[in-house]
Amino acid sequence: MSVDAQSTVFLDGQFARELPELAVPWQAEQAPDPRLVVLNEPLAAELGLDPESLGNAEGLGLLIGTALPHGATPVAQGYAGHQFGSYSPRLGDGRALLLGEIADAEGRLRDLHLKGSGRTPFARRGDGLATLGPMLREYVISEAMHALGIPTTRSLAVVATGRPVSRESMLPGAVLTRVASSHLRVGSFQYARAMDNQDLLRRLADHAIARHHPGTAEGQNPYLALFAAVVAAQASLVAQWMLVGFIHGVMNTDNMTISGEGIDYGPCAFMDVFDPATVYSSIDEAGRYAYGNQPLVAQWNLARLAEALLPLFHEDQERAVALAQESLGAFHTRYSAAWLAGMKTKLGLADGLDDESATSLTGELFTLLQEARVDYTSFFRALGTAARGEAESARSMFPVPAAFDAWLERWRALEPDADLMDRTNPVYIPRNHLVEEALAAAVDGDQEPLSRLLAALSTPFQERPGLERFAVAAPEGFGPYRTFCGT
Ligand code: AMP
Ligand code: MG
């Protein structure tokens, strides 16, 4: 690629072309003094972008949408959504833009998208802006997810705009450049359905099929097959979140993708001590999106997707509802199977163990973990060491280890595979206190802690000397953790 970052990049406008009813052409706001805070060089290379030229003035213009290649058609996407259970017919990209689609090294189309790029017609009372801390937070969490092998949108860069943004205090403004296999959400279908235009709904579904689930186009009922594919992708995603102890925090239908990638990491966090009722988000007062509720919420959201798709399932709406219910029923089966298989792997137990024994073994373990308020991530890693014969670090997590000892004996008799456990149970996750520390320093102009954290998280399963403090729970003084909606 030449030094001109934007002149050689081709950005397609497939979404804008095929679904103009859902796309408002719009431009990103100029930034007074853009400065690159973090760039994802491996991801840039995947997209055929030269990391070095992304750092110059023109490259920054591409990253924040102010200097786009000729012919690019940035749009604000329209979508609806159930937020904490109540329906908003018109949300949309209030402070975001889809710049277009870019083909990656494997020829797959990826969305290039901005967050914090200024007000759009969907902004309602918002200022259209984003601040540096929350954008870095999304960068850290999404890249950690990717390194953990969990489907997610990616973060290409965070650019500080040089514009102060008014929140509780004045904060530095920033734009996140996001990459995703698409930004189609459950809420996109709710929005299209509400327009009462079956042709639009069909075009949206065809677009989703072509982009994400092309295999479903061949079947007898492609739209029902699309729905089944989304059910399967989300069941798998949420099982992976649960296994790694992740709490999304704001699983509204506008924050649930059709691709099965996790998206919109605002008030999310990784659980420290094991407790299904864990909620970190300050706005989730009723605990709707608590750790243990996530599978149910995902299924609830998918029911909203089914409602939006009903006219495409069958002409006879009663028949359509029956088909939708049957298909949605697969969520529970798929989720449970994925979770249990993942749990067996976390425990180092290969295929030999029957599901009933695995269920009782994990059930008993979770009771012990919850009672003793054990750190979820550290425990599973220590259990890998116990599989090698050194059980003390796992035992020491229980104030009264007698009950755990009994469990340990039963589990050891099954001959767990320690190597499998180390490949499955991360040492390094974005622990809340480390994320806060890194973001606070970066906002103050010191990027060292952020770089070190990102480096630790990039290889989460391989323990390395010198990174001890990234592997342990928060110090007592950190106190109870609260997250705030990323604004
Ligand atoms: P989120 O909670 O980030 O998923 O956003 C929910 C909705 O609020 C989306 O429609 C966003 O575009 C919109 N939104 C959030 N923050 C702002 C802001 N500062 N300005 C305009 N719209 C916003
Ligand atoms: Mg959102």
Side-chain angles (χ1 to χ4, degrees):
M1 203 173 113
S2 82
V3 250
D4 297 348
Q6 39 103 307
S7 58
T8 52
V9 178
F10 178 66
L11 273 181
D12 202 356
Q14 205 182 82
F15 178 87
R17 225 172 21 249
E18 293 180 10
L19 298 154
E21 297 92 335
L22 308 182
V24 180
W26 206 254
Q27 298 293 325
E29 236 170 60
Q30 293 293 331
D33 184 18
R35 176 178 67 85
L36 188 61
V37 178
V38 54
L39 175 69
N40 191 334
E41 296 195 5
L43 181 58
E46 250 180 66
L47 299 174
L49 302 171
D50 171 30
E52 209 162 303
S53 44
L54 285 174
N56 67 31
E58 219 175 337
L60 285 182
L62 174 66
L63 290 174
I64 62 171
T66 54
L68 292 180
H70 186 68
T73 49
V75 293
Q77 291 180 297
Y79 49 84
H82 276 89
Q83 300 180 301
F84 290 90
S86 53
Y87 184 63
S88 294
R90 190 180 148 95
L91 291 170
D93 288 335
R95 54 162 174 175
L97 289 177
L98 171 65
L99 295 181
E101 302 96 11
I102 188 168
D104 69 14
E106 286 164 15
R108 282 189 309 157
L109 276 194
R110 316 269 292 266
D111 276 7
L112 202 58
H113 179 99
L114 305 179
K115 201 162 171 175
S117 48
R119 296 190 87 237
T120 76
F122 296 104
R124 292 168 289 159
R125 277 169 298 173
D127 60 7
L129 303 174
T131 60
L132 183 57
M135 295 306 100
L136 289 174
R137 189 179 170 81
E138 173 154 343
Y139 188 107
V140 169
I141 304 289
S142 61
E143 289 310 301
M145 281 290 179
H146 174 71
L148 288 164
I150 299 177
T152 178
T153 64
R154 304 286 308 276
S155 295
L156 177 62
V158 173
V159 175
T161 57
R163 176 187 297 110
V165 174
S166 170
R167 293 289 182 263
E168 314 79 55
S169 57
M170 293 307 280
L171 296 169
V175 170
L176 169 77
T177 318
R178 181 157 80 182
V179 174
S181 67
S182 90
H183 282 79
L184 302 177
R185 309 143 190 267
V186 170
S188 314
F189 283 85
Q190 293 180 291
Y191 192 72
R193 173 71 202 271
M195 287 190 180
D196 206 18
N197 171 348
Q198 192 144 332
D199 166 65
L200 168 63
L201 189 62
R202 192 179 298 274
R203 263 184 288 126
L204 177 58
D206 288 338
H207 180 88
I209 288 173
R211 255 188 114 169
H212 299 301
H213 307 289
T216 63
E218 311 301 330
Q220 250 190 353
N221 190 336
Y223 303 116
L224 191 61
L226 166 66
F227 179 62
V230 180
V231 167
Q234 285 294 340
S236 161
L237 174 66
V238 176
Q240 292 179 74
W241 284 356
M242 297 299 284
L243 289 163
V244 82
F246 177 71
I247 304 165
H248 183 281
V250 59
M251 284 176 73
N252 295 333
T253 57
D254 52 305
N255 290 338
M256 184 182 256
T257 60
I258 298 305
S259 65
E261 289 175 347
I263 193 169
D264 272 356
Y265 301 105
C268 59
F270 282 72
M271 175 170 64
D272 39 41
V273 297
F274 176 78
D275 184 351
T278 307
V279 174
Y280 291 115
S281 169
S282 59
I283 57 166
D284 191 3
E285 282 156 16
R288 179 181 172 93
Y289 300 138
Y291 172 72
N293 281 355
Q294 296 184 115
L296 271 179
V297 168
Q299 197 173 0
W300 190 90
N301 288 349
L302 290 164
R304 308 289 80 77
L305 176 62
E307 284 164 4
L309 284 168
L310 279 181
L312 301 183
F313 288 164
H314 203 281
E315 279 172 22
D316 172 356
Q317 287 302 277
E318 255 176 60
R319 185 81 193 104
V321 170
L323 289 168
Q325 276 169 344
E326 190 189 327
S327 193
L328 186 60
F331 180 89
H332 180 72
T333 322
R334 282 195 175 261
Y335 169 78
S336 303
W339 184 84
L340 195 61
M343 213 55 230
K344 285 185 195 173
T345 316
K346 282 180 83 67
L347 292 172
L349 304 174
D351 311 327
L353 185 66
D354 66 274
D355 286 356
E356 209 176 308
S357 312
T359 305
S360 84
L361 195 68
T362 51
E364 280 168 38
L365 176 62
F366 282 128
T367 305
L368 295 171
L369 293 179
Q370 192 173 350
E371 275 169 7
R373 300 193 56 73
V374 173
D375 183 86
Y376 182 78
T377 303
S378 306
F379 172 78
F380 278 99
R381 193 70 192 190
L383 199 61
T385 310
R388 296 200 164 83
E390 295 157 44
E392 214 28 59
S393 66
R395 289 187 76 238
S396 68
M397 295 180 181
F398 297 83
V400 187
F404 177 64
D405 283 341
W407 184 92
L408 200 62
E409 201 175 315
R410 218 177 116 201
W411 167 73
R412 268 185 173 159
L414 298 166
E415 298 180 1
D417 174 347
D419 292 336
L420 175 64
M421 293 177 77
D422 284 354
R423 289 197 302 275
T424 311
N425 298 313
V427 199
Y428 310 114
I429 54 156
R431 287 181 179 276
N432 303 321
H433 64 294
L434 299 171
V435 174
E436 292 301 327
E437 170 192 86
L439 301 194
V443 170
D444 270 352
D446 173 11
Q447 281 170 227
E448 261 310 299
L450 177 68
S451 306
R452 281 199 297 268
L453 178 61
L454 288 171
L457 297 174
S458 68
T459 316
F461 301 105
Q462 196 192 338
E463 197 162 358
R464 280 104 78 202
L467 297 184
E468 291 74 14
R469 68 181 294 269
F470 293 93
V472 292
E476 290 278 330
F478 185 63
Y481 188 56
R482 274 272 157 274
T483 56
F484 298 91
C485 222
T487 54

